[in-house]
Amino acid sequence: MAGSSDPDKLMSKADKLTKLSFTRWNADWKSATSLYEQAAIAYRFRKDNEKAKDAFEKASKGQEMISSPWDAAKHMESAAALAKELGRWNEVSDFYHRASELYRECGRPQPASDALAKGASALEEKSPEEAIKMYDEACSVLEEDGKEQMAFDLYRAAAALYIKMEKYSDAAALFLRLGSAADKCNAINSQCKAYLSAIIIYLYTHDFQQAQKCYNDCSEVQAFLNSDQNRCATKLLSAYEEGDAEEIKRMAQSSAFNHLDHVVIRLARKLPTDDLQAIKKADDGEESLDEDDLT
């Protein structure tokens, strides 16, 4: 195909078909779009990614003009993938966002979310903050459609990225969000693992008080209260209260942790990360303050 048709000529011909003149009062987007598509494939075959990206972008615009948002979205994803190859990170975000919008125009939330997730994955290294936003949007698209269960892997991917960025409280919050989503789907195992993960992250950041609060809040959920993960969290927090570093290390190596996400397991294996006596003193001080409040 690349040999029989010069893609530069195809693009030039297509561009002319979309421009109005004294002799052309209406743009012929249908014919132009077909030419843009042929040119895009030919450029990609030649590995001329820059021109292929531009051609797919124009083909996407053409499909929009002839009221075919599904095909427009597919072409925009192709342009986004080429932008990634070229290291055009702003375009990666813009193109995957546009693809997602087009899928939503078709009433297709799953591919709309998938497009955002692809963008997020592509941007994790170069633009982690933007990647987090795109993961969040990808989750929201599914949440709005009542398909929380389809978002579980996205919550985990975003939480893992937060941990990599050392934004631990954000990671814990995302695991709690996963827990809430799992609750709506009656996915008890995922829910309980998410709650335990949040508790472990708070302990890793030396925030025993927040870990305790998180445990108390999550224990109000019956499914968690009766779970193996709850028993594990109970023993872990008790060991912290007693200042028993060996018991904490033993618990962190136990099989109960093996089914958590790898990023969380790695944090658990490093517990305790702080001075247990300081935690105990802080805990005792908190209790005495509470007693003062009652008088």
Side-chain angles (χ1 to χ4, degrees):
M1 185 174 195
S4 61
S5 300
D6 181 345
D8 289 338
K9 288 180 180 176
L10 292 172
M11 290 292 287
S12 177
K13 187 176 178 182
D15 286 341
K16 285 176 185 174
L17 289 171
T18 63
K19 288 180 173 62
L20 303 183
S21 67
F22 289 117
T23 56
R24 181 178 290 107
W25 290 21
N26 295 303
D28 184 357
W29 278 104
K30 188 172 183 181
S31 299
T33 300
S34 177
L35 294 170
Y36 285 137
E37 289 168 343
Q38 291 175 55
I41 293 165
Y43 283 134
R44 190 164 60 183
F45 180 79
R46 294 179 175 187
K47 301 199 183 318
D48 190 341
N49 289 347
E50 182 72 51
K51 287 185 177 179
K53 172 182 69 70
D54 292 343
F56 274 118
E57 198 178 351
K58 288 185 175 183
S60 177
K61 173 69 174 173
Q63 289 291 358
E64 272 191 82
M65 296 302 288
I66 59 176
S67 302
S68 183
W70 175 267
D71 290 318
K74 287 287 184 187
H75 290 328
M76 194 52 75
E77 283 203 80
S78 295
L82 289 161
K84 179 190 172 186
E85 294 292 320
L86 292 161
R88 305 282 175 76
W89 306 113
N90 286 341
E91 287 186 340
V92 170
S93 173
D94 291 345
F95 292 171
Y96 276 121
H97 269 113
R98 183 63 191 135
S100 180
E101 289 166 10
L102 289 161
Y103 283 128
R104 273 179 274 186
E105 282 181 30
C106 307
R108 300 292 296 274
Q110 183 67 60
S113 174
D114 289 345
L116 290 166
K118 286 176 193 171
S121 178
L123 292 168
E124 279 196 15
E125 291 293 329
K126 299 294 182 180
S127 185
E129 295 285 357
E130 180 63 20
I132 286 289
K133 287 179 192 172
M134 293 184 80
Y135 276 130
D136 184 70
E137 290 171 53
C139 291
S140 295
V141 169
L142 294 173
E143 287 169 350
E144 287 163 16
D145 197 53
K147 293 181 177 172
E148 285 89 353
Q149 193 153 8
M150 304 299 290
F152 287 3
D153 286 343
L154 300 177
Y155 294 121
R156 293 190 183 103
L161 183 53
Y162 269 134
I163 288 171
K164 190 175 180 181
M165 295 164 70
E166 299 185 356
K167 293 192 170 186
Y168 298 109
S169 61
D170 289 322
L174 209 54
F175 274 115
L176 293 174
R177 184 176 167 190
L178 167 55
S180 297
D183 187 39
K184 292 177 186 174
C185 311
N186 201 31
I188 294 171
N189 192 41
S190 292
Q191 180 182 13
C192 295
K193 288 195 293 185
Y195 290 159
L196 178 57
S197 296
I199 292 165
I200 288 168
I201 291 168
Y202 285 128
L203 289 175
Y204 180 80
T205 60
H206 317 164
D207 196 342
F208 179 78
Q209 297 300 323
Q210 191 60 41
Q212 186 74 58
K213 181 182 183 303
C214 182
Y215 168 80
N216 292 338
D217 290 345
C218 293
S219 294
E220 291 180 14
V221 178
Q222 195 65 35
F224 181 66
L225 188 60
N226 298 330
S227 69
D228 289 339
Q229 288 83 6
N230 179 280
R231 285 185 281 279
C232 196
T234 303
K235 289 179 184 175
L236 192 57
L237 290 169
S238 294
Y240 265 87
E241 287 176 331
E242 292 162 13
D244 190 342
E246 288 308 309
E247 176 62 10
I248 293 166
K249 288 175 185 173
R250 191 189 69 75
M251 284 295 304
Q253 297 292 333
S254 71
S255 60
F257 287 85
N258 290 343
H259 301 295
L260 300 177
D261 287 8
H262 292 305
V263 287
V264 178
I265 294 171
R266 281 198 289 272
L267 298 186
R269 297 284 192 256
K270 294 175 182 175
L271 297 178
T273 54
D274 51 356
D275 180 2
L276 294 177
Q277 292 307 312
I279 285 177
K280 199 166 187 310
K281 285 173 188 172
D283 194 35
D284 292 342
E286 194 75 28
E287 285 176 12
S288 64
L289 281 173
D290 289 344
E291 288 168 10
D292 291 343
D293 289 342
L294 293 173
T295 56

